[in-house]
Amino acid sequence: MKNYLLSILAAVAVLCTACGGDDEPAKVNATGVKLDKAMVVLEVGESTTVKATLAPENATNKKVKWAVKNAAIATVNNGVVKGVAVGETELTATTVDGGHTATIPVKVVSEKVAVEGIGMIYPLVIKEGQEGDITIGFSPINATNTNATITLSDPNVLSIEYKGNNQNPMLPSSWPCYTIKGLKAGKCNIKAVSEDGGFEEENTVTVHPIINVTEIKIVPENATIGLGETKQFAATIMPSNADNKEVEWSSSDTSIATVDANGLVTGVAKGEATITATAKDGSGVKGSATITVVGEKPTSITVDGKNYVKRLTWHGKKIEIVPDMTPVSADLSTLTWTVSDWKTQNPCTCKIEAKKITVESNLSHYPYQFESVVNGSTTYGSINDRFDFTVYFRTHAIFSNHFEETKQRIDLSLPNTPIQISADLVELPYNVNAGTLYFEAYCPPIEYYASASPMWTQFPEAYIPTSEYTLTSSDETKWKVTKVSESTYKIEDLAPSNYKEIDLTYTCGEFSFTRKFKVVPK
């Protein structure tokens, strides 16, 4: 009875375990199959075993079906291949799960040629992510069995995959070829051992890191074009030895400007867009530039009905010219301007805006000429097809002795001007009735030359406000300088009985000039 009860309890336990246990593990499908030989070479009547390895290693169903293309040449039974007659055929292994296949050639010979040595044709260096080919060579070249076992010293640096028989017509087609791929920077030894004779060959392949783009500069950084016009942009890649220097061009607003695959930008509508070049190496590095699309070009430009304009201003100041244009919607900035200064060491700033020209100089006494061709080509000297304007920056200081019958004006500014005193010491007659001189600053008529003929350009005498200049004496106890009006300083001789030399210094902005004066008996 006791044994009977124990049997019943055991049966119940088995049933409980079957009903209440864990679920069965999930099925892992096969994704591929590999054979352990690159080829099979047999003599008639000889046999060898070929092994199949499924991927992944934990595939649930590891069964394969074996087949030989021509059973009259060779047969196969559960991976055991046997030579039947001289000839060539193929051996195929097919996974039961998924139908994945692997095929290798089968060669049946009447007599084998033994392997006497092994070699390797391989790249010394490859890049990360780059692939290369390795060919295993055998001697003699008609060796029958060209199977070899390939091993890697560091599979994390390099991977290898059987590619098939060599396709290089310069090498025997029976030699096997493999594909290697750089996985990460480092060195990896590749070792090949021949199946026939166990001959070895080992070589090192170095994997170099990919050099990515670190910076992209776009040239030009800014550009202006008209409607329908084009502008070529170029991308400078840094570092110069980057592996992939290709870029992809794009526009932030294709309704304003478009850009093609080569960086050629076309203006579509008035406005501003950003042109970007993005590295194609996956680094995400970008470079950008701004393109401004302006309106149509003017067909004519005038100011007060003239296409040649002259303006006068003082250094440190700016002058604006707003011309009349046809059509009224035209933009000055659509034209290409040339600037000629008559004294290149004194540069000025010129800004060409849509409807306005602004010129400014901080230190100049010379004219600047601005020129733009409006309608096609033109010959220098002709103003029919171009718009010219000249801005004169001048600073002149003139002494006037108001107590002489004829005013004596002495230029204190620069040489090469219409009124010039070359002496370093200026002697002024002393008027005993009034020991005063008056200092005034004004611009005399301006002389300039155009082409081969001298031309005289007259501006009204323009007095400089005293807020723009200062006049100082080297000795205020002897000559006292006092401002008496907007454009005049009074100079008083406090010791008229002593004839002396005094320095007067005239300053206007960055310009400063000192001249020595001496009062002499009348």
Side-chain angles (χ1 to χ4, degrees):
M1 176 63 70
K2 182 178 179 180
N3 291 336
Y4 176 76
L5 289 174
L6 291 173
S7 299
I8 294 296
L9 290 173
V12 171
V14 171
L15 289 173
C16 290
T17 301
C19 296
D22 295 336
D23 294 337
E24 293 183 2
K27 178 183 178 182
V28 179
N29 294 324
T31 59
V33 60
K34 291 182 180 179
L35 302 180
D36 67 339
K37 297 182 184 296
M39 68 179 299
V40 173
V41 179
L42 299 169
E43 292 182 354
V44 176
E46 184 183 8
S47 298
T48 189
T49 300
V50 178
K51 295 181 180 180
T53 302
L54 274 66
E57 293 182 357
N58 62 338
T60 303
N61 188 348
K62 292 183 170 57
K63 293 181 179 180
V64 297
K65 293 180 180 180
W66 297 91
V68 171
K69 188 174 183 180
N70 189 345
I73 302 297
T75 61
V76 63
N77 182 16
N78 197 28
V80 179
V81 185
K82 181 178 181 180
V84 176
V86 174
E88 296 182 4
T89 185
E90 292 180 347
L91 172 68
T92 301
T94 304
T95 62
V96 174
D97 177 17
H100 304 286
T101 63
T103 300
I104 59 174
V106 176
K107 187 176 182 179
V108 180
V109 297
S110 58
E111 184 178 359
K112 290 182 180 179
V113 177
V115 174
E116 298 177 358
I118 189 173
M120 187 183 298
I121 303 172
Y122 68 103
L124 293 172
V125 175
I126 63 173
K127 290 278 190 177
E128 288 179 322
Q130 181 183 357
E131 293 184 347
D133 289 340
I134 286 183
T135 301
I136 308 300
F138 296 82
S139 64
I141 60 174
N142 61 339
T144 306
N145 187 349
T146 55
N147 277 323
T149 301
I150 309 296
T151 56
L152 301 175
S153 64
D154 192 345
N156 294 318
V157 172
L158 207 65
S159 67
I160 191 165
E161 190 82 21
Y162 175 67
K163 184 177 181 180
N165 283 353
N166 166 64
Q167 301 298 315
N168 187 338
M170 303 297 293
L171 302 174
S173 61
S174 60
W175 289 1
C177 189
Y178 296 81
T179 298
I180 59 172
K181 183 177 182 179
L183 303 180
K184 72 173 186 177
K187 294 180 181 293
C188 181
N189 293 337
I190 302 176
K191 184 178 181 179
V193 180
S194 66
E195 186 177 73
D196 181 8
F199 296 98
E200 296 183 3
E201 175 74 7
E202 186 171 7
N203 292 290
T204 302
V205 174
T206 301
V207 179
H208 284 180
I210 293 292
I211 300 176
N212 286 325
V213 176
T214 59
E215 185 179 2
I216 299 176
K217 289 186 177 180
I218 307 300
V219 180
E221 294 182 0
N222 300 282
T224 300
I225 58 175
L227 298 176
E229 292 184 341
T230 60
K231 182 69 176 180
Q232 182 65 56
F233 284 78
T236 301
I237 304 298
M238 288 171 283
S240 59
N241 62 339
D243 287 298
N244 185 352
K245 296 182 180 180
E246 293 186 5
V247 298
E248 181 178 359
W249 292 93
S250 61
S251 170
S252 64
D253 192 341
T254 54
S255 67
I256 300 296
T258 61
V259 59
D260 68 8
N262 299 313
L264 183 66
V265 177
T266 301
V268 178
K270 290 180 65 175
E272 188 175 280
T274 300
I275 304 301
T276 302
T278 304
K280 285 188 175 182
D281 63 358
S283 63
V285 175
K286 299 180 179 181
S288 60
T290 301
I291 187 72
T292 302
V293 182
V294 295
E296 56 190 318
K297 290 183 177 181
T299 57
S300 67
I301 304 174
T302 60
V303 173
D304 298 331
K306 300 176 181 179
N307 59 356
Y308 180 67
V309 181
K310 298 181 292 293
R311 288 291 186 265
L312 170 69
T313 189
W314 304 111
H315 75 86
K317 296 297 179 181
K318 67 174 61 175
I319 192 166
E320 293 181 351
I321 298 175
V322 182
D324 299 317
M325 291 183 289
T326 304
V328 293
S329 60
D331 284 350
L332 279 173
S333 55
T334 61
L335 298 175
T336 300
W337 295 85
T338 57
V339 181
S340 301
D341 62 23
W342 288 16
K343 203 73 173 176
T344 56
Q345 64 266 35
N346 293 321
C348 74
T349 300
C350 178
K351 183 178 181 182
I352 308 295
E353 299 175 298
K355 302 292 181 183
K356 182 175 64 177
I357 303 165
T358 306
V359 185
E360 184 175 8
S361 177
N362 289 325
L363 179 58
S364 178
H365 304 275
Y366 301 92
Y368 293 83
Q369 185 176 24
F370 303 85
E371 175 184 5
S372 184
V373 174
V374 179
N375 266 324
S377 61
T378 183
T379 302
Y380 185 79
S382 169
I383 59 174
N384 294 328
D385 277 340
R386 69 178 204 272
F387 176 69
D388 292 353
F389 65 94
T390 304
V391 178
Y392 298 87
F393 296 92
R394 307 293 274 185
T395 301
H396 284 269
I398 303 300
F399 267 119
S400 295
N401 185 345
H402 287 245
F403 302 100
E404 295 295 318
E405 294 180 0
T406 302
K407 291 182 181 180
Q408 180 185 10
R409 287 180 173 174
I410 304 168
D411 184 0
L412 291 184
S413 59
L414 293 178
N416 302 320
T417 53
I419 303 175
Q420 178 180 342
I421 297 295
S422 59
D424 292 331
L425 175 63
V426 179
E427 294 183 348
L428 296 176
Y430 174 65
N431 190 324
V432 294
N433 297 321
T436 57
L437 295 172
Y438 287 88
F439 173 88
E440 296 176 330
Y442 84 108
C443 178
I446 295 173
E447 179 186 50
Y448 75 97
Y449 293 87
S451 188
S453 302
M455 299 175 63
W456 184 266
T457 302
Q458 292 282 349
F459 284 101
E461 290 188 356
Y463 283 88
I464 312 172
T466 54
S467 58
E468 298 296 326
Y469 66 80
T470 59
L471 185 67
T472 58
S473 168
S474 61
D475 190 343
E476 286 281 340
T477 64
K478 298 177 181 178
W479 274 25
K480 183 179 179 180
V481 179
T482 306
K483 177 183 175 182
V484 296
S485 71
E486 181 63 21
S487 61
T488 305
Y489 275 97
K490 181 177 73 172
I491 306 162
E492 297 177 88
D493 187 352
L494 302 181
S497 62
N498 298 322
Y499 304 125
K500 63 197 73 74
E501 294 182 1
I502 296 294
D503 290 340
L504 289 181
T505 300
Y506 161 74
T507 302
C508 183
E510 296 181 21
F511 173 75
S512 181
F513 190 88
T514 300
R515 191 174 289 277
K516 190 178 296 295
F517 288 82
K518 181 179 180 180
V519 177
V520 297
K522 184 176 179 181

